[in-house]
């Protein structure tokens, strides 16, 4: 391979792309800058001009995952129909993303990147934007709800979808739990729980009760790995 191929800055993107592939193929444990350099045909020292260590590269890979999640949510927001259809499209995208790219999903949500103080700076914009987009999607289904109700509902939607994909990935749905349900039926049930067709546009009394009960909670208590707060965002200084 021509070792001049990655000059003028595109080695960084080549390393991220190679790491993305390696994470899905082999997992994170054995990934190293040295092995990626060998795969790309560059010197062992070359990657360190772009990433100080393996951790920095993996954070950049996780950021690409959040960027992809944002793209999916933005596409869902443009879905014809009401807010319920858009939220269903976003939920479907997230479930497909988690099952189709399990290595990347795990790097995004099952590492300590976003629980650090501060988190890696590269992750802050796309991770915050992903949650902001999710809140927009949820809020569109309850346009008459107040801020507390929208936040409570977003936490509920996130907990439901994240919990489902985590349990599914861990193989926790045993035959006695799911038989005779097919995969499509289970996913349809999740969609109906998150965004039921024919849902009222205003916050229901039940939702209002949830909002009152959850109003004091911070989203980081969900132990999802994201640890988003409902009233503030990550910043590079670690304050949130």
């Amino acid at each position: 391979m021509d070792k001049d191929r990655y000059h003028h800055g595109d080695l960084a993107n080549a390393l991220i792309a190679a790491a993305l592939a390696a994470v899905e193929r082999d997992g994170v444990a054995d990934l190293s800058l040295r092995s990626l350099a060998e795969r790309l045909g560059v010197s062992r020292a070359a990657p360190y001009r772009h990433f100080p260590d393996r951790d920095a590269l993996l954070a950049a890979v996780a950021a690409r995952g959040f960027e992809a999640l944002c793209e999916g949510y933005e596409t869902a927001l443009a879905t014809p129909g009401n807010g319920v259809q858009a939220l269903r499209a976003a939920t479907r995208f997230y479930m497909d993303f988690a099952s189709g790219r399990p290595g990347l999903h795990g790097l995004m949500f099952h590492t300590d990147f976003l629980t650090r103080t501060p988190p890696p700076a590269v992750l802050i914009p796309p991770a915050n934007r992903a949650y902001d987009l999710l809140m927009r999607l949820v809020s569109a289904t309850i346009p008459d709800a107040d801020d507390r109700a929208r936040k409570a509902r977003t936490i509920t939607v996130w907990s439901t979808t994240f919990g489902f994909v985590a349990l599914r990935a861990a193989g926790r749905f045993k035959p006695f739990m799911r038989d005779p349900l097919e995969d499509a039926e289970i996913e349809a049930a999740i969609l109906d729980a998150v965004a039921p067709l024919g849902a009222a546009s205003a916050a229901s009394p039940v939702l209002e009760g949830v909002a009152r009960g959850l109003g004091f909670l911070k989203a980081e208590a969900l132990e999802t790995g994201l640890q988003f707060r409902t009233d503030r965002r990550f910043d590079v200084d670690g304050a949130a």
Side-chain angles (χ1 to χ4, degrees):
M1 178 177 292
D2 182 0
K3 293 190 178 184
D4 292 331
R5 177 179 177 183
Y6 298 112
H7 67 299
H8 299 309
D10 74 337
L11 177 57
N13 285 323
L15 286 165
I16 291 171
L20 275 165
V23 164
E24 294 300 346
R25 182 181 62 250
D26 305 316
V28 173
D30 295 328
L31 186 143
S32 69
L33 290 177
R34 175 179 293 185
S35 65
L36 293 175
E38 292 174 353
R39 180 173 292 275
L40 292 174
V42 298
S43 71
R44 292 179 178 180
Y48 293 94
R49 301 187 190 116
H50 303 278
F51 301 100
D53 53 33
R54 172 182 179 273
D55 200 61
L57 174 60
L58 289 176
V61 171
R64 292 290 177 90
F66 282 110
E67 290 166 2
L69 191 57
C70 288
E71 290 177 6
Y73 284 169
E74 287 167 345
T75 299
L77 280 167
T79 299
N82 58 26
V84 171
Q85 294 292 350
L87 182 55
R88 289 175 72 91
T91 303
R92 169 65 67 187
F93 171 82
Y94 174 70
M95 291 192 295
D96 290 346
F97 177 85
S99 62
R101 307 184 77 175
L104 179 58
H105 183 267
L107 189 63
M108 295 160 63
F109 294 108
H110 296 289
T111 63
D112 69 344
F113 281 138
L114 290 177
T115 63
R116 297 178 186 176
T117 305
V122 69
L123 282 174
I124 294 171
N128 281 336
R129 178 159 174 74
Y131 198 78
D132 287 341
L133 288 167
L134 177 61
M135 182 167 280
R136 282 179 57 190
L137 285 155
V138 172
S139 297
T141 68
I142 47 174
D144 298 325
D146 63 16
D147 187 58
R148 291 169 66 88
R150 290 195 300 271
K151 287 180 176 179
R153 180 60 181 163
T154 303
I155 289 172
T156 302
V157 168
W158 174 237
S159 300
T160 301
T161 54
F162 181 87
F164 170 69
V165 301
L167 288 167
R168 180 175 63 180
R172 297 297 297 273
F173 297 125
K174 304 303 181 184
F176 80 91
M177 299 175 182
R178 51 169 297 157
D179 289 345
L181 294 171
E182 300 291 338
D183 289 347
E185 293 177 283
I186 297 172
E187 291 184 356
I190 297 299
L191 290 175
D192 288 340
V194 166
L197 294 172
S201 62
S204 68
V206 172
L207 180 55
E208 290 171 356
V210 170
R212 287 192 296 271
L214 293 178
F216 67 95
L217 292 179
K218 300 295 186 181
E220 70 268 24
L222 298 176
E223 298 286 346
T224 64
L226 271 178
Q227 298 202 354
F228 285 108
R229 300 190 178 191
T230 57
D231 56 348
R232 289 172 285 178
R233 293 292 183 265
F234 291 120
D235 62 44
V236 294
D237 296 322

